[in-house]
Amino acid sequence: MLDNVLLIGYGNSLRSDDGVGQKFATEVTNLGKIKTYSIHQLTPDLAQDISDFEVVIFADASADFNLMQPQLQRLEVQESEIGSSHFANPQGLLGLAQNLYGKAPEAYILSLPVENFAFGNELSNKAQEGLNEGLELL
């Protein structure tokens, strides 16, 4: 296991493709090389956990329906207040980790292509292909 890497896959698993981040984290867990969290949404309490790692990767469904393949981007710390768990974002969590625990890890977001946010728990073909390509990219 890569002790210094955390992958956080998040999204609503009851809204079809929005759950691709959680499913991605589950697949990575099955590989057994990276510590993973598969969660519904980002919450401020994650700041302590992420401050313990050298690298954190956030995996989520992309809101850009034109995205055709997974995209990995480096994230910077964002100084922002998190007033509600619904407004928590990866950059805000990095800022919170820096402010509270004195350390923000190197961070990336893996945006996964999707096309369907309807109620359901199955991924579309586009999301499933993006998940598979994301695993190869990782």
Side-chain angles (χ1 to χ4, degrees):
M1 180 174 290
L2 301 173
D3 293 330
N4 293 322
V5 179
L6 172 64
L7 181 128
I8 302 173
Y10 62 100
N12 186 343
S13 61
L14 299 177
R15 296 299 300 247
S16 301
D17 290 353
D18 193 37
V20 71
Q22 283 195 43
K23 290 181 181 185
F24 184 83
T26 299
E27 291 296 320
V28 172
T29 298
N30 293 337
L31 298 175
K33 296 180 180 180
I34 297 175
K35 173 75 174 167
T36 62
Y37 293 166
S38 177
I39 58 176
H40 179 76
Q41 65 186 22
L42 299 176
T43 55
D45 59 299
L46 290 169
Q48 181 177 11
D49 293 346
I50 68 172
S51 71
D52 292 334
F53 289 87
E54 294 298 319
V55 176
V56 64
I57 302 166
F58 297 90
D60 190 21
S62 173
D64 180 359
F65 287 120
N66 295 317
L67 184 68
M68 299 309 289
Q69 60 189 23
Q71 187 175 59
L72 187 66
Q73 294 179 318
R74 176 105 189 239
L75 296 174
E76 300 297 327
V77 174
Q78 174 183 325
E79 296 296 325
S80 65
E81 294 182 26
I82 300 176
S84 165
S85 63
H86 291 285
F87 297 105
N89 61 41
Q91 297 92 331
L93 285 176
L94 294 171
L96 194 58
Q98 182 67 49
N99 290 337
L100 294 177
Y101 305 104
K103 180 177 177 266
E106 182 177 331
Y108 300 87
I109 186 153
L110 178 63
S111 299
L112 299 164
V114 299
E115 63 187 4
N116 179 17
F117 288 108
F119 289 108
N121 59 7
E122 297 296 321
L123 295 180
S124 68
N125 288 337
K126 181 177 181 180
Q128 185 62 54
E129 288 172 12
L131 186 152
N132 294 336
E133 291 172 7
L135 289 171
E136 291 177 27
L137 180 63
L138 187 64

